[in-house]
Amino acid sequence: MTKRYLLAILLAAGMTTTISAQDDTTESIAAIRQELEQLKAQRRADSLNTATQARDERIWRKSAPWILMYGTQSIDDGIVRFKSGTSIGLAKRRTYFLHNKAIAGMVKFGLDVGWTELSVTRYAKGKGLSMKGLMSSAMGNVTDGNYATMDDYFDAASKSALDASDERDAEMDDILNRLDVGKFQISGGFAIGPSIHVVPFYALNKKGLDRIKVGAYFHYVPTFTALVFTGSDEDTSISGGYMGQWRYGFNLRYGRFGIGVEHQWGSGTLKRFNTESDDKDSDASPVGDKVHYNTSATRFYIGVKF
C-alpha cells in the first residue's frame, strides 16, 4: 500500500514538473513573438519616418526663383494721370522659411527677400530724332552756285559752316529737346515681407500632387525710380528719386515652375533735372522742381526655380 502511495506521489510530481516546463516554454515563445512584433513595428515606423522626411525635403526645397513680369502701370501727380502701354519687370527673390517642420505637413511661413527688383514702363511712344535737323546742325548749308573747281565748292561749304557756327552750337544744345523719347519710367530696388506656402493635397500622399503648391505674400518695396518725359513742346525732362511702395501677390507652382499675379502701389517726391544747362561740361542740372507722384501697377508673372 505504501509503495502505491509513493508511486502515485512520484507520478503527480513528474506531471507537475512537466506542466510547469511546458508553461515556461509557452511563455518564452510568447515573449519572443512579442519582441519580434515590436521590432517589426519599430522598423516600419523608422521606414515611414525616413520616407516622410525624404518627402518633406523634396516638397520644401530651397525656393529662390527668377521671375519675369508683364502688366500695366499708372502714375499721376494729382493733376495728370498716365497709364502704361507696356510694363515689364525682372526679379530675383528668395524665401527663408521660419520653421523646419511644416504645420500638419502642409503649411509653412516664410520671409521673402527680393534681392533684385527691376521694371521698365512705357507710358507713351516717342517720335524719335529728326535726322534732317541733325544733319543740318552738323553741316554748313551750301546754296546753289557756279564753282570753277571742287576746291571753290569746299571753300564755300567751309565758310558757310563757320558763319553758321553759333546757330549750329545752339541747335546741337537743342538736340535733346528735338529728341522725342516719349514717356518712360525706370525703377530698381529690393523687397522684404512675410509669406505663407501651402501644399493643398499633402494628405493624399501622391507624388504628383505633392508638386502643387500655392502661396501668398505681402512685401515692402523700397524703390529708386526715374522718369524720362518728353512733353508736347518736345522738351525732355528727367526726374528721379525714392519711392516707398507696397505689394501683395499670389502664385501657383508646380515643381520648380510657377505663375502668379501681384499688385503694387506707392508714392514719392521726385526731383526734376533740366536737360539744358549753361555749363557745357554738364548734361543735366537740378532745377529744384519737386513733384509728388503716386503710382500703381498690376503684373502677371512666370518664374523658375521656385
Side-chain angles (χ1 to χ4, degrees):
M1 209 58 172
T2 302
K3 292 180 178 180
R4 290 181 179 178
Y5 285 135
L6 288 173
L7 182 60
I9 291 171
L10 291 173
L11 289 173
M15 292 178 63
T16 301
T17 301
T18 302
I19 292 172
S20 178
Q22 291 177 347
D23 290 341
D24 291 342
T25 302
T26 302
E27 291 177 359
S28 297
I29 294 173
I32 292 172
R33 287 178 176 174
Q34 184 178 4
E35 186 174 351
L36 288 174
E37 290 299 326
Q38 290 177 348
L39 290 173
K40 290 180 180 179
Q42 183 63 43
R43 186 175 179 180
R44 285 194 297 268
D46 291 343
S47 178
L48 181 60
N49 288 336
T50 301
T52 300
Q53 183 177 0
R55 180 189 178 200
D56 289 347
E57 289 178 354
R58 183 176 64 251
I59 292 173
W60 301 107
R61 68 182 70 184
K62 182 179 74 173
S63 178
W66 281 99
I67 293 172
L68 182 64
M69 297 171 284
Y70 179 86
T72 60
Q73 182 166 315
S74 65
I75 191 169
D76 70 83
D77 58 3
I79 300 175
V80 180
R81 182 173 183 267
F82 297 97
K83 187 173 181 181
S84 71
T86 304
S87 181
I88 59 175
L90 177 68
K92 172 64 174 177
R93 300 175 185 172
R94 170 79 184 270
T95 298
Y96 298 90
F97 293 114
L98 301 179
H99 48 101
N100 291 327
K101 189 173 179 59
I103 300 172
M106 61 185 296
V107 179
K108 271 194 175 185
F109 292 92
L111 178 67
D112 293 349
V113 178
W115 295 111
T116 302
E117 300 284 339
L118 302 173
S119 67
V120 178
T121 301
R122 187 182 74 186
Y123 297 106
K125 186 176 180 180
K127 299 176 182 178
L129 177 65
S130 171
M131 294 304 296
K132 180 179 179 181
L134 180 61
M135 292 302 294
S136 16
S137 295
M139 297 178 60
N141 293 320
V142 180
T143 58
D144 294 336
N146 296 319
Y147 303 97
T149 66
M150 290 298 296
D151 289 338
D152 293 340
Y153 173 83
F154 285 116
D155 287 343
S158 177
K159 184 177 183 304
S160 175
L162 290 173
D163 291 342
S165 60
D166 291 338
E167 181 181 355
R168 181 177 68 247
D169 290 341
E171 289 181 355
M172 292 299 289
D173 287 340
D174 197 45
I175 284 178
L176 284 176
N177 290 333
R178 290 185 287 105
L179 175 61
D180 186 351
V181 298
K183 293 176 172 59
F184 282 86
Q185 181 176 357
I186 304 169
S187 301
F190 66 97
I192 187 169
S195 60
I196 182 173
H197 311 263
V198 181
V199 183
F201 304 108
Y202 183 85
L204 299 180
N205 196 13
K206 300 292 184 181
K207 188 173 182 179
L209 296 179
D210 281 350
R211 297 172 64 85
I212 299 174
K213 192 182 299 177
V214 295
Y217 53 86
F218 184 79
H219 297 161
Y220 177 62
V221 190
T223 304
F224 292 92
T225 193
L227 300 178
V228 183
F229 275 19
T230 299
S232 57
D233 57 356
E234 295 188 349
D235 180 23
T236 299
S237 66
I238 301 174
S239 302
Y242 172 82
M243 276 190 171
Q245 301 192 63
W246 303 88
R247 74 169 169 229
Y248 61 86
F250 308 90
N251 53 49
L252 171 66
R253 287 109 76 184
Y254 185 79
R256 304 295 274 172
F257 299 91
I259 58 174
V261 60
E262 61 185 27
H263 180 71
Q264 182 169 311
W265 74 97
S267 62
T269 299
L270 306 184
K271 190 171 186 177
R272 187 169 70 86
F273 292 81
N274 190 2
T275 56
E276 297 180 9
S277 175
D278 294 335
D279 182 2
K280 296 183 182 301
D281 294 330
S282 175
D283 293 329
S285 60
V287 296
D289 293 343
K290 293 183 177 180
V291 181
H292 188 80
Y293 289 96
N294 302 300
T295 183
S296 65
T298 300
R299 299 188 182 99
F300 297 91
Y301 60 82
I302 59 174
V304 295
K305 296 184 67 177
F306 273 101

